[in-house]
Amino acid sequence: MKNKGLLIVISGPSGAGKGTVYDRILERAPEIQKSVSVTTRLPRAGEQEGVHYYFKTLTQYQQMIANGEFLETASVYSNYYGTPKAAVLGLIEKGRDVMFEIDIHGARQIKARYPQSILIFLMTRDFEVLKERLIKRGTETPASLKTRLSSAKNELAQYELFDYIVFNDTVEQAASDVLGIICAEKSRVKANEAAIKKMLSN
Ligand code: 5GP
């Protein structure tokens, strides 16, 4: 019998570099499936439907909630984001590993509904680095910078929810750390029990 795929969640505060590390992991391990989320926010320049997100109106999104189509859904900085359930669970059943880049509320819902999921918290080594990265990004006003830093502290305080923490010193090292975690999870005795038993029975 084929093992189920892994459900890997990357979460962490804005400025920690989730998106960049996520993309790098997928470049290095193209066999991992990207989970494409649904959102009510408008597409940014260069973003494509079905590649970066499925873009929906609020009414369409609410209908999807009512139909029970989400594995998790959360409101992040005044827009809705959610993970479509059917596609993800279908892939996992087929033995494919699926990776998500989602906020902490979504991560919590996933762990509750799918306890085998692997939750990884990506963070900078200290708050100064996080602040510098947010300032460098140039997308924050002084007020929103303050909000994001206080959200970051709040997220870090929920560290016990996670199975692993990865410090993002460089993109390459952080991507290697996540790939190492995935490799370790696949090497668990539990994950290989069927193969071991088969060998023993011969
Ligand atoms: P952005 O609008 O910059 O693409 O994403 C904003 C935030 O939404 C990021 O923190 C990202 O992790 C989070 N996010 C993206 N997709 C999902 C999702 O499907 N569910 C949840 N809960 N958060 C998401």
Side-chain angles (χ1 to χ4, degrees):
M1 205 184 79
K2 206 168 177 202
N3 277 345
K4 279 190 184 179
L6 299 176
L7 197 160
I8 308 138
V9 175
I10 310 276
S11 201
S14 54
K18 276 177 308 202
T20 318
V21 171
Y22 184 77
D23 289 345
R24 186 64 191 128
I25 297 164
L26 292 172
E27 272 170 20
R28 285 177 55 179
E31 69 281 6
I32 298 175
Q33 285 283 311
K34 174 184 174 163
S35 163
V36 181
S37 299
V38 180
T39 185
T40 58
R41 86 149 162 73
L42 295 173
R44 296 186 187 126
E47 283 186 335
Q48 290 166 28
E49 168 74 13
V51 176
H52 299 91
Y53 284 104
Y54 296 105
F55 297 96
K56 303 284 178 201
T57 62
L58 184 59
T59 315
Q60 289 170 328
Y61 195 93
Q62 283 165 336
Q63 191 56 53
M64 288 182 77
I65 295 180
N67 296 344
E69 290 182 52
F70 289 113
L71 192 58
E72 60 76 32
T73 168
S75 158
V76 187
Y77 300 114
S78 50
N79 285 301
Y80 285 100
Y81 294 84
T83 304
K85 187 159 62 181
V88 168
L89 295 183
L91 286 165
I92 287 169
E93 283 301 323
K94 282 193 205 137
R96 303 293 305 267
D97 300 328
V98 187
M99 193 166 65
F100 305 62
E101 188 254 287
I102 58 175
D103 91 310
I104 195 162
H105 304 289
R108 189 175 285 285
Q109 291 172 49
I110 296 228
K111 195 67 170 178
R113 288 187 193 153
Y114 199 87
Q116 312 92 300
S117 56
I118 302 155
L119 266 50
I120 303 174
F121 192 72
L122 188 78
M123 181 56 189
T124 52
R125 274 206 195 262
D126 57 53
F127 274 95
E128 266 317 297
V129 176
L130 190 73
K131 191 172 168 186
E132 274 165 31
R133 286 192 189 164
L134 282 169
I135 291 171
K136 236 191 201 157
R137 205 162 79 169
T139 49
E140 308 308 318
T141 61
S144 74
L145 180 67
K146 216 170 153 201
T147 311
R148 281 180 196 251
L149 287 174
S150 100
S151 308
K153 195 156 240 171
N154 185 277
E155 287 180 34
L156 190 61
Q158 299 175 55
Y159 68 94
E160 282 168 312
L161 169 67
F162 292 86
D163 300 296
Y164 296 94
I165 178 150
V166 167
F167 291 112
N168 182 11
D169 298 327
T170 69
V171 174
E172 218 48 54
Q173 155 270 321
S176 297
D177 286 2
V178 173
L179 290 170
I181 291 166
I182 295 171
C183 181
E185 288 289 337
K186 284 187 176 296
S187 307
R188 279 188 183 276
V189 168
K190 262 269 170 259
N192 293 287
E193 219 169 10
I196 296 169
K197 284 190 173 155
K198 193 168 169 227
M199 281 191 260
L200 287 173
S201 71
N202 286 331

